[in-house]
Amino acid sequence: MFNNRIWKRHSFFGRMISFLVCACIVAGSILFLPADNVVNAASNPVQAHGRLSVSGTQLVDKTGKAYQLRGISTHGLQWFGQYNNKAAYKTLRDDWGANCIRLAMYSDAGGYVSDPSGMKQKVIDGVNYATELGMYVIIDWHILSDGNPNQHRNEAREFFRDMSNRYKNHSNVIYEICNEPNGCSWGDIKSYAEDIIGVIRSNDKNAIIIVGTPTWSQLGSQGHTYEPADDPIRGYSNLMYAFHFYASDSSHNQWIKNKIPTAISKGLPVFVSEFGLSEASGDGNVDLGKAKEWLQMCDNNKVSYCAWSLCNKGESSALISSGCSKLSGWSEQELSKAGKFIRDWYRSKKSTDNVDDTPKIKNQAKDVILKYKTHVQTFGWQEYVTAPQMSGTSGLSKRLEGICIKIEGNPNLGITYKTHVQTYGWQDWKSDGDMSGTSRQSKRLEAICIKLTGKDKDKYDVYYRVHAQTYGWMGWAKNGQIAGTERMSKRLEAINIVVVKKGMNPGVSTYKSHVSPTSGNINYRTHVQTYGWQKWVSDSDLSGTTLKSKRLEGIEIRLGDNISGGIKYKTHVQSYGWQDWKTNGDMSGTQGKAKRLEAICIKLTGQAEKQYDIYYQVHVQSYGWLDWAKNGQMSGTSGLYKRLEAIRIVLVPKGGKAPGKTTRPSIAVE
């Protein structure tokens, strides 16, 4: 906690409880189980989310999804060690919705330096309890009165060497290497941190490590300085930087309120490893309104946090009422004002906490190893994931900018893919691990198509779905179909991909995998007198008006992106006559000149011309609907000064049946 305090010692009875708890633990020979093998068979945070890592500035779970730890910090284990028990942590997990325990082991003030073996055992006990419950656990080297972490660097080296060796195979253990450095520079802290990080990494290459920051972990020595962000520790991954706040403290609300978003914008991964609802002393006023503001800011930025503190000490930051002696199973009435608020806040957030949202796939091809990774706004390239896990982020509003996909284990099977990129449109096909999209251009992916290649391609189907801005998870596309959106300026945020045996049902919804204003085979819109441009329609839908005497003034036509080839069209315009041919979505006609369209010709080009016939039909002033024209024929009138009022267009497979009569598609005065 902030500033120095006179800590109240427990009664003899309290110390005896702590002693008996420890004795029982030793006698019971509790096993040190890796978090991936938790005793509790029910779903829990660690089972659902696995080993955490840092991607860019964000804490993410095993699938790459942004994940928040909402934890509870113990008070000093040397004073309130009786709350370090499995039943207490189970109450916090099951009733409160907490997913993390922070074990505050003071280095000084009667802590580790005074009793290394005793304090180490308390930490070991706490890690055991959290592990058995499937909770994440932070081992906190809690410097405070010994403000410069270098004061006890040798002891810290010994402690973290032991802890990292002991828990190197755990996926739930996090190390906080200096709680609240104070009275020293970032240079002092950085020197210490680089030393201790090296010690931990010699045993544990992957665990999250939280580094304390200047001025009681306020991300800088002053309100306007950000030394850790400007001079971060380099050469190591999975590092985060501590920030602490006390919601009711006037100075915190005055000059450090913007520290979190500003540090993140500078590229610093932030972890609020301690916060309280009280003033910085740990006592005084509790301002629930300010608390909501602080926590909402953390939630908006997906920043993890741990509340101070699990004890019944007679101060306003304590979460248990001072009149309650229970060590677990607290009722609402047995909590302090701060405890009631934290419980309610955490409970409101826990509904999706233990949910593994990796899609459930039937008939997945077990003999195909499909891997993919994405380049995410701010975070850069993520690690490869294996089908059908999610790559990208969820809930962070971060765009995908690039993707690589590859298949391993079958030399006769490959994969090819193309993406629709902001500004650039559809890119060329890429294959077998090459990047599709862009990097360092700040361009969003908007849609994707994926197909299998190789001798064995006809033995399998590839399915894929995307998480798109506004739409969330869309339906699954298959074998080259479009997944995502087009011409709607919506970013892709995440993707799942899976391969199944040919023709087998994967058990997923394919509804609405693609949204576009031009999602048909043939898409068109018209500019109508008085009304202006109408919405895009497709595949024989009517564009324009009937029975309203409104002229068509312009038209745009384009093929669907699933159709190879092109399209050409020209219009006969009042006063101007026949215009030049336009192609692939360009406007033909006029806008803002009050000139009517009188006739139109449309034809396909390239591969589309070989595969399809294009039919089109117009509604003409005085005559109504004329018959269907085909493949470049004139539709409309010539020399009669009659306006076009509506149009329908459709593609038919080459040589297929016409959509209607074709006898009289046009009328001309000779």
Side-chain angles (χ1 to χ4, degrees):
M1 299 195 61
F2 291 120
N3 65 26
N4 295 325
R5 299 191 184 164
I6 300 174
W7 305 104
K8 297 181 180 179
R9 298 285 182 171
H10 285 321
S11 65
F12 173 78
F13 177 73
R15 292 195 298 273
M16 285 300 295
I17 292 175
S18 298
F19 172 78
L20 291 173
V21 170
C22 293
C24 291
I25 292 167
V26 173
S29 299
I30 293 176
L31 298 175
F32 300 108
L33 296 174
D36 289 335
N37 296 302
V38 291
V39 172
N40 186 358
S43 180
N44 56 54
V46 174
Q47 283 180 328
H49 297 279
R51 182 181 290 278
L52 307 181
S53 60
V54 179
S55 181
T57 61
Q58 180 61 54
L59 187 68
V60 299
D61 70 4
K62 64 183 180 181
T63 69
K65 178 182 176 182
Y67 186 59
Q68 265 185 298
L69 292 178
R70 291 183 291 275
I72 302 296
S73 179
T74 69
H75 204 302
L77 291 175
Q78 74 272 39
W79 296 311
F80 288 89
Q82 70 269 37
Y83 290 95
N84 182 28
N85 70 79
K86 184 175 179 180
Y89 299 160
K90 189 174 188 298
T91 300
L92 296 176
R93 184 194 71 176
D94 296 345
D95 182 51
W96 293 38
N99 53 19
C100 179
I101 297 297
R102 179 182 185 241
L103 301 171
M105 187 200 70
Y106 279 70
S107 49
D108 211 340
Y112 182 85
V113 174
S114 300
D115 182 14
S117 61
M119 295 309 300
K120 187 182 294 185
Q121 186 59 52
K122 290 180 184 294
V123 170
I124 292 169
D125 296 341
V127 173
N128 269 351
Y129 302 143
T131 298
E132 292 168 10
L133 293 166
M135 301 177 75
Y136 296 94
V137 58
I138 299 173
I139 298 175
D140 166 32
W141 182 261
H142 200 92
I143 70 164
L144 185 63
S145 57
D146 50 337
N148 190 323
N150 291 291
Q151 182 175 337
H152 297 302
R153 182 190 284 204
N154 289 336
E155 292 89 339
R157 285 175 58 85
E158 185 276 332
F159 174 77
F160 283 110
R161 181 179 291 108
D162 184 4
M163 292 294 108
S164 61
N165 184 58
R166 185 182 297 268
Y167 299 120
K168 60 188 176 185
N169 295 320
H170 279 50
S171 58
N172 66 326
V173 175
I174 297 170
Y175 301 98
E176 184 175 4
I177 60 177
C178 48
N179 166 60
E180 288 182 1
N182 58 90
C184 59
S185 69
W186 171 239
D188 293 332
I189 301 166
K190 186 179 181 183
S191 172
Y192 163 87
E194 289 173 333
D195 186 8
I196 302 304
I197 292 168
V199 169
I200 294 172
R201 286 289 182 255
S202 68
N203 292 317
D204 191 331
K205 307 298 183 185
N206 299 308
I208 302 292
I209 299 174
I210 303 171
V211 180
T213 60
T215 320
W216 295 279
S217 284
Q218 293 179 4
L219 297 174
S221 59
Q222 301 178 64
H224 65 284
T225 61
Y226 293 83
E227 294 95 325
D230 296 335
D231 181 25
I233 296 167
R234 303 188 186 279
Y236 297 100
S237 59
N238 291 332
L239 302 185
M240 305 192 80
Y241 295 80
F243 178 75
H244 293 180
F245 69 84
Y246 279 78
S248 298
D249 197 276
S250 58
S251 65
H252 290 194
N253 289 291
Q254 178 182 1
W255 58 276
I256 67 169
K257 197 67 176 289
N258 295 322
K259 281 281 190 170
I260 291 175
T262 302
I264 291 174
S265 72
K266 287 174 169 281
L268 200 72
V270 177
F271 194 119
V272 177
S273 56
E274 180 182 310
F275 77 93
L277 273 59
S278 66
E279 297 173 10
S281 64
D283 207 356
N285 182 48
V286 169
D287 187 331
L288 300 185
K290 292 294 185 185
K292 290 179 182 178
E293 291 178 13
W294 275 99
L295 291 176
Q296 191 60 60
M297 178 177 64
C298 290
D299 290 344
N300 290 344
N301 288 279
K302 291 288 184 181
V303 169
S304 299
Y305 42 75
C306 292
W308 182 272
S309 68
L310 183 63
C311 71
N312 66 347
K313 187 178 180 182
E315 61 181 14
S316 55
S317 64
L319 302 178
I320 312 301
S321 171
S322 60
C324 175
S325 60
K326 289 171 62 175
L327 301 182
S328 64
W330 309 280
S331 68
E332 184 178 2
Q333 293 71 31
E334 292 167 332
L335 304 179
S336 67
K337 182 179 180 179
K340 292 175 183 177
F341 176 88
I342 294 298
R343 176 178 179 266
D344 288 345
W345 187 272
Y346 282 24
R347 283 165 67 93
S348 73
K349 305 291 181 181
K350 75 174 184 175
S351 60
T352 60
D353 210 44
N354 296 343
V355 178
D356 184 349
D357 62 358
T358 299
K360 303 300 185 289
I361 303 296
K362 297 179 181 178
N363 300 312
Q364 182 175 352
K366 302 300 183 182
D367 56 336
V368 175
I369 303 172
L370 176 65
K371 294 183 177 181
Y372 41 98
K373 67 177 181 178
T374 52
H375 191 278
V376 179
Q377 175 187 356
T378 307
F379 301 156
W381 283 108
Q382 296 189 306
E383 297 295 324
Y384 274 103
V385 300
T386 303
Q389 293 180 351
M390 182 188 82
S391 183
T393 64
S394 175
L396 291 179
S397 301
K398 300 293 187 184
R399 64 180 172 265
L400 298 188
E401 298 177 345
I403 188 168
C404 300
I405 312 172
K406 62 184 180 179
I407 287 178
E408 299 176 350
N410 184 343
N412 296 319
L413 190 64
I415 196 159
T416 185
Y417 40 95
K418 66 175 181 178
T419 54
H420 190 278
V421 179
Q422 175 187 355
T423 307
Y424 302 147
W426 284 103
Q427 294 193 306
D428 294 334
W429 289 92
K430 304 293 183 180
S431 59
D432 302 321
D434 292 335
M435 185 190 80
S436 180
T438 64
S439 64
R440 290 184 281 189
Q441 294 189 39
S442 300
K443 300 293 186 184
R444 63 181 171 265
L445 300 188
E446 298 177 344
I448 188 169
C449 300
I450 307 174
K451 297 189 295 187
L452 297 173
T453 61
K455 292 181 180 179
D456 288 348
K457 67 182 178 64
D458 294 329
K459 296 180 181 180
Y460 304 93
D461 294 315
V462 60
Y463 285 82
Y464 42 99
R465 68 168 183 173
V466 295
H467 191 281
Q469 178 185 355
T470 305
Y471 294 98
W473 284 112
M474 304 181 72
W476 291 76
K478 172 187 176 183
N479 295 344
Q481 296 173 338
I482 300 172
T485 69
E486 299 171 275
R487 290 173 294 284
M488 301 180 74
S489 301
K490 302 295 184 183
R491 64 181 171 266
L492 299 190
E493 298 176 348
I495 189 169
N496 300 114
I497 314 174
V498 68
V499 174
V500 301
K501 291 287 188 180
K502 191 70 176 181
M504 300 295 285
N505 181 8
V508 298
S509 172
T510 57
Y511 173 71
K512 206 172 185 179
S513 63
H514 173 222
V515 177
S516 170
T518 57
S519 57
N521 289 330
I522 185 72
N523 308 278
Y524 44 98
R525 65 173 183 166
T526 54
H527 191 278
V528 178
Q529 175 187 354
T530 307
Y531 301 148
W533 284 107
Q534 294 194 306
K535 293 181 179 179
W536 287 90
V537 298
S538 60
D539 300 333
S540 80
D541 290 335
L542 181 150
S543 182
T545 63
T546 59
L547 305 177
K548 293 185 178 182
S549 301
K550 299 294 184 183
R551 64 181 171 263
L552 298 189
E553 299 177 346
I555 188 168
E556 296 175 353
I557 312 173
R558 60 173 295 140
L559 294 176
D561 289 301
N562 58 321
I563 305 293
S564 298
I567 190 166
K568 296 174 65 175
Y569 43 97
K570 64 178 181 178
T571 54
H572 191 279
V573 180
Q574 175 188 353
S575 303
Y576 302 151
W578 284 104
Q579 293 192 306
D580 294 335
W581 289 96
K582 303 293 183 180
T583 60
N584 301 328
D586 293 334
M587 186 188 78
S588 182
T590 63
Q591 178 178 332
K593 295 185 178 182
K595 300 293 185 182
R596 64 181 172 264
L597 299 189
E598 297 177 348
I600 188 170
C601 300
I602 310 173
K603 60 183 179 180
L604 300 172
T605 62
Q607 188 64 30
E609 183 181 13
K610 299 176 182 178
Q611 293 181 317
Y612 298 95
D613 294 316
I614 186 164
Y615 286 86
Y616 40 101
Q617 177 189 37
V618 294
H619 190 280
V620 179
Q621 175 188 354
S622 302
Y623 295 100
W625 286 106
L626 300 182
D627 293 339
W628 291 86
K630 172 186 177 184
N631 295 345
Q633 294 176 335
M634 186 183 84
S635 180
T637 67
S638 174
L640 295 172
Y641 310 107
K642 300 295 185 182
R643 62 182 173 265
L644 301 190
E645 297 178 345
I647 189 169
R648 298 186 181 111
I649 312 174
V650 67
L651 296 186
V652 173
K654 199 70 175 178
K657 184 178 179 181
K661 293 182 179 179
T662 60
T663 305
R664 194 188 189 200
S666 63
I667 303 173
V669 175
E670 296 182 1

